């Protein structure tokens, strides 16, 4: 059976680039996001490059809508054999001007949204005793990075959850991969008003993610400079972390 990958958040950035990459590598690609027009545009250009593609417009926070969307993709492309839970949003918090809403929303999309998608495909994967679950987390999952505390927390939560799933699902034939990207040039980072070290194009990121999927890696951090940063970030004591990150503001 050919591979049918469902990618959430496929209408732009990393998701769209990964869709193109996997389409070129022979996967059937199910594109899912809220903006139907963007998905249709991408699907058309992928089809003209020879890929098999279907689209579904859904919000990952809406469990019923997501179920309908993924089933729609499966009707066209066959059972989902690979899920890439990529849909995500940024989230900042200013503790001097507390607003609970962005905090809640970022968890709804980045954490629950990813798990809502797993919920739809896990039954079929368990039945077949095969499948792959990929989550696009972030280097920001490593420590609490102000002012993006809510974003860091949501990514730490999903990375931790994926790790537990990885251990539980391996004996069932389901492989889990957690991706921790550094800075990638996408609409999400376009508004950042600070210098982004080791920024990589979305197409480069997509190639690395596709390789990690093919090689059944458990974890991928990129680029290598960010893997090094993540290694140190995990290990520095709190006082040093506060001093370095505090100075960056
Ligand atoms: N860019 C980076 O530097 C970077 C670094 C680390 C991690 N990441 C992670 O990579 C992933 C992709 O980000 P990106 O940089 O490619 O950003 P992006 O270009 O803004 O793409 C985000 C995607 O998520 C979709 N999305 C957002 N909310 C959704 C919802 N409620 N339901 C369904 N789809 C939703 C958007 O589509 P619609 O608006 O059409 O729904 C869009 O396709 C995110 O999880 C992000 O946290 C990015």
């Amino acid at each position: 059976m050919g591979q049918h990958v469902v990618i959430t958040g496929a209408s732009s950035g990393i998701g769209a680039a990964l869709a193109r990459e996997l389409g070129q590598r022979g996967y059937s690609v199910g594109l899912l996001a809220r903006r139907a027009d963007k998905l249709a545009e991408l699907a058309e250009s992928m089809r003209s490059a020879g890929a098999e593609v279907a689209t579904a417009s859904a919000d990952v926070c809406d469990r019923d809508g997501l179920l309908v969307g993924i089933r729609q993709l499966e009707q066209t492309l066959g059972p989902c054999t690979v899920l890439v839970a990529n849909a995500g949003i940024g989230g900042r918090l200013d503790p001097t001007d507390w607003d609970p809403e962005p905090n809640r929303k970022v968890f709804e999309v980045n954490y629950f949204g990813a798990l809502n998608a797993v919920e739809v495909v896990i039954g079929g994967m368990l039945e077949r005793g095969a499948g792959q679950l990929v989550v696009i987390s972030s280097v920001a999952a490593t420590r609490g990075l102000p002012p993006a505390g809510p974003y860091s927390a949501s990514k730490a939560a999903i990375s931790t959850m994926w790790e537990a799933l990885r251990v539980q699902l391996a004996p069932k034939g389901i492989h889990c991969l957690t991706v921790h990207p550094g800075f990638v040039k996408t609409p999400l980072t376009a508004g950042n008003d600070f210098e982004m070290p080791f920024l990589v194009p979305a197409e480069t990121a997509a190639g690395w993610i596709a390789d990690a999927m093919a090689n059944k890696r458990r974890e991928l951090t990129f680029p290598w400079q960010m893997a090094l940063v993540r290694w140190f970030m995990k290990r520095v004591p709190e006082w040093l972390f506060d001093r370095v990150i505090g100075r960056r503001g």
Side-chain angles (χ1 to χ4, degrees), residues 18-71:
L18 185 60
R20 286 184 196 281
E21 181 68 35
L22 294 177
Q24 280 165 16
R25 294 187 188 208
Y27 288 72
S28 304
V29 189
L31 308 172
L32 189 140
R34 291 165 304 177
R35 287 171 296 172
D37 54 333
K38 292 273 178 201
L39 295 179
E41 233 172 76
L42 175 61
E44 199 177 313
S45 80
M46 285 177 63
R47 275 189 203 109
S48 55
E52 193 185 10
V53 196
T55 66
S57 170
D59 185 326
V60 292
C61 305
D62 168 14
R63 282 170 67 214
D64 295 337
L66 188 60
L67 175 71
V68 171
I70 294 178
R71 291 287 176 260

Side-chain angles (χ1 to χ4, degrees), residues 152-210:
S152 278
S154 70
K155 293 298 189 181
I158 200 63
S159 287
T160 304
M161 182 65 189
W162 229 256
E163 184 157 64
L165 286 175
R166 186 180 74 223
V167 177
Q168 284 179 295
L169 292 173
K172 315 269 182 208
I174 300 171
H175 171 256
C176 294
L177 164 66
T178 310
V179 181
H180 294 109
F183 291 110
V184 182
K185 200 163 190 276
T186 69
L188 184 73
T189 49
N192 284 351
D193 53 1
F194 54 88
E195 198 196 322
M196 290 178 277
F198 317 119
L199 183 71
V200 296
E203 293 70 25
T204 308
W208 288 331
I209 297 168

Side-chain angles (χ1 to χ4, degrees), residues 59-61 87-89 104-114:
D59 185 326
V60 292
C61 305
I89 57 170
R104 238 191 298 275
K105 186 70 195 166
V106 76
F107 262 81
E108 255 179 49
V109 178
N110 297 0
Y111 181 79
F112 291 110

